């Protein structure tokens, strides 16, 4: 495992732990809102806005690197499992290049939106104002880091395709 692999693993683990902490905080937040609403007739202000604009994006986007590192994205292996090593390397190369390009476009578009939100100091007015611009950076950061992981996979698949079947790409990044 290279230093880049270890760094990607560690970063993916940190972001997944951060997402788990956000899940815990969201559960406590919602439980406190429910208890406040039904026991004291005083719900927590702007719970829906905070959950929708902060907790849910964190839960969706922060673990992206870890999910990709562990090969947990949805795959269809119908042809892949029946192919030889060179064809598998080609499929890995093609799929990772396409996914890297897709993530690059997502990161670019979401980054522009995040910078616009930052420039405007974006917030939502509910019962209390909720600042939302920092959460807009979850997607471009996650897409960029996940794109780097898929780019490394594409480079390894290209190396396997050129060098032949003695280099296996299944167990690495």
């Amino acid at each position: 495992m290279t230093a880049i692999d270890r760094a990607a693993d560690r970063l993916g683990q940190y972001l997944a732990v951060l997402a788990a902490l956000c899940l815990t905080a969201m559960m406590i937040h919602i439980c406190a809102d429910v208890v406040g609403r039904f026991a004291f007739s005083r719900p927590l202000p702007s719970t829906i806005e905070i959950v929708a604009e902060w907790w849910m994006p964190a839960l969706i986007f922060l673990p992206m690197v870890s999910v990709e590192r562990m090969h947990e994205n949805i795959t269809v292996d119908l042809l892949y499992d029946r192919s030889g090593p060179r064809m598998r390397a080609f499929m890995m190369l093609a799929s990772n290049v396409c996914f890297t390009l897709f993530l690059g476009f997502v990161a670019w578009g979401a980054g522009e939106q995040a910078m616009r939100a930052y420039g405007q100091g974006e917030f939502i007015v509910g019962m209390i104002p909720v600042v939302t611009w920092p959460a807009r950076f979850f997607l471009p950061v996650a897409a960029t880091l996940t794109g780097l992981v898929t780019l490394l996979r594409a480079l390894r698949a290209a190396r396997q395709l050129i060098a032949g079947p003695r280099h296996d790409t299944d167990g690495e990044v």
Side-chain angles (χ1 to χ4, degrees):
M1 188 177 271
T2 68
I4 294 172
D5 294 327
R6 285 190 296 276
D9 273 341
R10 184 147 309 169
L11 184 60
Q13 289 170 354
Y14 287 147
L15 292 175
V17 167
L18 183 58
L21 292 173
C22 288
L23 175 63
T24 304
M26 182 179 75
M27 290 187 318
I28 292 168
H29 187 167
I30 292 171
C31 287
D33 180 60
V34 170
V35 168
R37 180 180 313 267
F38 293 110
F40 307 110
S41 296
R42 297 205 54 146
L44 293 178
S46 297
T47 295
I48 292 172
E49 290 85 0
I50 294 169
V51 168
E53 298 294 329
W54 276 93
W55 300 131
M56 293 308 290
L59 295 177
I60 293 166
F61 300 127
L62 292 179
M64 276 177 60
V65 176
S66 182
V67 167
E68 183 60 32
R69 289 279 304 148
M70 295 185 303
H71 300 278
E72 294 295 325
N73 281 323
I74 296 171
T75 59
V76 178
D77 298 334
L78 185 65
L79 297 175
Y80 185 82
D81 289 341
R82 296 177 181 173
S83 301
R86 289 189 76 75
M87 184 54 105
R88 284 184 181 193
F90 175 75
M91 287 185 212
M92 288 295 291
L93 175 63
S95 65
N96 281 300
V97 165
C98 289
F99 196 30
T100 300
L101 289 172
F102 171 75
L103 289 168
F105 287 126
V106 168
W108 180 25
E112 285 183 343
Q113 291 294 322
M115 292 304 293
R116 180 198 49 76
Y118 167 71
Q120 294 174 350
E122 186 178 81
F123 66 95
I124 290 179
V125 179
M127 291 174 72
I128 60 171
V130 177
V131 175
T132 58
W133 68 263
R136 300 280 183 238
F137 285 92
F138 291 157
L139 177 55
V141 168
T144 299
L145 296 173
T146 305
L148 292 174
V149 169
T150 59
L151 178 62
L152 288 173
R153 274 208 189 118
L155 293 173
R156 288 192 174 126
R159 186 182 69 201
Q160 180 185 5
L161 190 60
I162 293 167
R166 56 192 167 151
H167 294 289
D168 187 15
T169 60
D170 288 339
E172 84 341 310
V173 174

